[in-house]
Amino acid sequence: MNFRLSCKILGMRISERCFAVTGLGYLPPWYVNAGFVVGDHTTLIVDSGANATAGATIYGYASIANFGNTLRVVNTEKHFDHIGGNGYFRARGIDVWGHAEIARTGAEFQAEIAEFNRSIPNRVRRELSEAKVFFEETRVTNPNRTLASNVEWDLGGQTVQILLTPGHTSTNISVWVPSERVLYSGDCLIRSYLPNLEAGGPDDWKQWLISIERIRSLGPHTIVCGHGPVASGDQVAEIIDEVGRVLTQALEQGCAPTI
């Protein structure tokens, strides 16, 4: 198949059928990643970004990769930087899948906006609540289709596996594309940033270690992490080892490294 999209900036082609959309804005110093897998009749979008604008960006790339394909979205977890663009897709009648435990509220979303606003360095801009620009037209939108176990989807000439990989949160999943040896890990794996352990505790971190070893056993060649640059080749083992090291150290010390 000859796909129409081969972009070098935000839309990165990482294999014949797999793309990453990287560098989407979020709280400093983080940026968040998304991506999509293109089949003959369906394009699977992995995460929707932190806001409606990110959702529109991802939609733009994914909708032209194989024009006319049905679009489907899957969220890798419950945090707003991965689900903020859901409303953009649902407004267009596109199904959004996610873990059965994803259920965010309006109050939680307002707290997210307040946290974002506090991260603005300039006092005057904070007082003007300029965070509202980032979240313009963004609404809390939970997945309308739920996942409670591992599943396999046929996108048309391309199979993807949706794998439960809890640890960072209980809702984390990864998307594995066996034929391309590409994995979309969400925040189960992070590159060049410290992983966020503050969403859980020791029991979660133990489960997280199991999840990353499961990923290692798949033998991925390329990983699109939730945050940070795409990893490939020897970098894959390096990021798995590094996240494992951070988790092991946290378990030994009894606290997250950022506390």
Side-chain angles (χ1 to χ4, degrees), residues 32 45 82 110 132 145 176 205 208 222 233 239 244:
V32 66
I45 295 168
H82 299 269
Q110 290 305 310
K132 65 180 179 292
R145 304 291 296 272
W176 171 233
W205 304 339
W208 196 340
T222 303
I239 62 170

Side-chain angles (χ1 to χ4, degrees), residues 99-171:
H99 192 280
E101 294 178 11
I102 291 180
R104 306 308 304 270
T105 67
E108 290 172 327
F109 183 52
Q110 290 305 310
E112 182 82 358
I113 296 173
E115 179 185 3
F116 194 94
N117 201 71
R118 287 192 296 271
S119 74
I120 298 173
N122 184 271
R123 176 185 58 82
V124 176
R125 294 183 183 280
R126 285 197 306 274
E127 291 174 353
L128 288 170
S129 298
E130 289 190 357
K132 65 180 179 292
V133 179
F134 184 84
F135 292 103
E136 184 175 3
E137 297 186 8
T138 303
R139 304 287 183 271
V140 178
T141 308
N142 292 309
N144 66 305
R145 304 291 296 272
T146 58
L147 295 160
S149 61
N150 300 336
V151 296
E152 186 170 280
W153 286 337
D154 179 10
L155 307 181
Q158 179 62 65
T159 298
V160 298
Q161 296 175 6
I162 311 301
L163 308 175
L164 303 184
T165 50
H168 169 59
T169 75
S170 61
T171 64

Side-chain angles (χ1 to χ4, degrees), residues 7-248:
C7 302
K8 297 182 180 179
I9 303 174
L10 285 177
M12 180 192 303
R13 191 170 195 166
I14 53 178
S15 74
E16 177 63 23
R17 292 179 179 259
C18 297
F19 296 78
V21 184
T22 63
L24 296 166
Y26 195 54
L27 291 172
W30 296 81
Y31 67 75
V32 66
N33 298 326
F36 52 93
V37 185
V38 184
D40 294 344
H41 56 64
T42 302
T43 296
L44 176 64
I45 295 168
V46 184
D47 283 336
S48 63
N51 57 17
T53 303
T57 298
I58 298 162
Y59 173 86
Y61 284 119
S63 62
I64 65 169
N66 194 26
F67 189 74
N69 265 15
T70 298
L71 300 184
R72 179 187 303 175
V73 178
V74 62
N75 295 147
T76 62
E77 62 155 285
K78 67 179 183 178
H79 288 150
F80 283 112
D81 53 329
H82 299 269
I83 70 170
N86 283 358
Y88 184 90
F89 290 96
R90 289 298 300 131
R92 286 152 183 79
I94 297 167
D95 282 334
V96 177
W97 292 72
H99 192 280
E101 294 178 11
I102 291 180
R104 306 308 304 270
T105 67
E108 290 172 327
F109 183 52
Q110 290 305 310
E112 182 82 358
I113 296 173
E115 179 185 3
F116 194 94
N117 201 71
R118 287 192 296 271
S119 74
I120 298 173
N122 184 271
R123 176 185 58 82
V124 176
R125 294 183 183 280
R126 285 197 306 274
E127 291 174 353
L128 288 170
S129 298
E130 289 190 357
K132 65 180 179 292
V133 179
F134 184 84
F135 292 103
E136 184 175 3
E137 297 186 8
T138 303
R139 304 287 183 271
V140 178
T141 308
N142 292 309
N144 66 305
R145 304 291 296 272
T146 58
L147 295 160
S149 61
N150 300 336
V151 296
E152 186 170 280
W153 286 337
D154 179 10
L155 307 181
Q158 179 62 65
T159 298
V160 298
Q161 296 175 6
I162 311 301
L163 308 175
L164 303 184
T165 50
H168 169 59
T169 75
S170 61
T171 64
N172 275 76
I173 67 170
S174 297
V175 177
W176 171 233
V177 189
S179 64
E180 311 282 285
R181 293 180 62 196
V182 171
L183 182 90
Y184 297 85
S185 72
D187 285 6
C188 189
L189 289 171
I190 301 294
R191 184 177 175 206
S192 301
Y193 293 114
L194 270 175
N196 175 14
L197 276 61
E198 295 174 37
D203 289 342
D204 302 290
W205 304 339
K206 291 174 185 176
Q207 184 61 59
W208 196 340
L209 283 168
I210 294 171
S211 291
I212 64 173
E213 287 308 315
R214 183 183 186 192
I215 287 173
R216 191 195 302 273
S217 72
L218 295 173
H221 178 267
T222 303
I223 294 181
V224 180
C225 304
H227 304 270
V230 173
S232 61
D234 293 341
Q235 297 165 343
V236 167
E238 291 171 3
I239 62 170
I240 294 173
D241 289 344
E242 177 59 17
V243 172
R245 183 193 66 77
V246 173
L247 287 165
T248 300

